[in-house]
Structures are given as C-alpha cells and as structure tokens.
Amino acid sequence: QVQLVESGGGLVQAGGALRLSCAASGTTFNPNLMGWYRQAPGKQRELVAIIPSNGDTNYADSVKGRFTISRDNTKNTVYLQMNSLKPEDTAVYYCNAIFFSVNYWGQGTQVTVSS
C-alpha cells in the first residue's frame, strides 16, 4: 500500500522559510508525478507545484520565484522549499503522487505564516 508522509510544516513569520518533505513508502517504483497542493480555510484545494519524473516543474503564479519543488528518486521523496513566505501562504499543504495513473494523497501538514 502506497503511503505519503509529509513533514516540515509549522509556524513562521512573514518573510521566513520552510522546507516541506514528502516521502512515499510501500512501493519500489518512482511516482510518475509528484506535487504539492494546499487548502486554506473556506477555500478549495489548489495546486502549488508539480514535478514529473524528468525533473520539469510547474508552479502556481502566486508562488513563482519563491517556492522550489524538487524530488529525489532514490528516496521517493519530494520537497517544497518555501521562501519569502506570506500570510496568504497559510494553508494545509498536501503531498500528491501519481503511480500508474492512480492518485495518492498525504494527510497534510499545516503551514501558518504570521504577519
């Protein structure tokens, strides 16, 4: 059974930085695509960044230039480096991975950015 476990969330001041990690377990195969989504209270879940197995990346406009997604295929882990954090980045961040056309989700990690 594939399981995604996120870590690295927390409370930071505006302008600070956090690094989220998501490790996939229960499989020896690398995900075809991994990514991060977030959901703020009262809002729908939105895409933050994605990265396929070839290393290409795509970002939401709101985080371009501030966030960096990367993956380590030897560890089946995806990272999200978040710099210059803003209060509007406050949300639960969810890891997503696609294995053979099947979507898997982590349970989420809370990121709170104070003014």
Side-chain angles (χ1 to χ4, degrees), residues 48-68:
V48 176
I50 55 173
I51 181 168
S53 58
N54 65 6
D56 291 338
T57 58
N58 193 18
Y59 298 91
D61 288 340
S62 60
V63 306
K64 286 181 179 177
R66 299 188 297 118
F67 291 11
T68 302

Side-chain angles (χ1 to χ4, degrees), residues 17-81:
L18 286 172
R19 189 190 189 210
L20 306 183
S21 299
C22 172
S25 62
T27 179
T28 60
F29 297 99
N30 295 136
N32 301 109
L33 184 143
M34 301 188 78
W36 291 93
Y37 293 71
R38 66 186 182 187
Q39 187 169 21
K43 297 184 178 180
Q44 292 186 318
R45 188 173 300 184
E46 64 177 354
L47 184 147
V48 176
I50 55 173
I51 181 168
S53 58
N54 65 6
D56 291 338
T57 58
N58 193 18
Y59 298 91
D61 288 340
S62 60
V63 306
K64 286 181 179 177
R66 299 188 297 118
F67 291 11
T68 302
I69 188 171
S70 61
R71 62 189 288 170
D72 184 345
N73 289 330
T74 66
K75 300 178 180 179
N76 264 2
T77 300
V78 64
Y79 306 93
L80 185 68
Q81 179 66 47

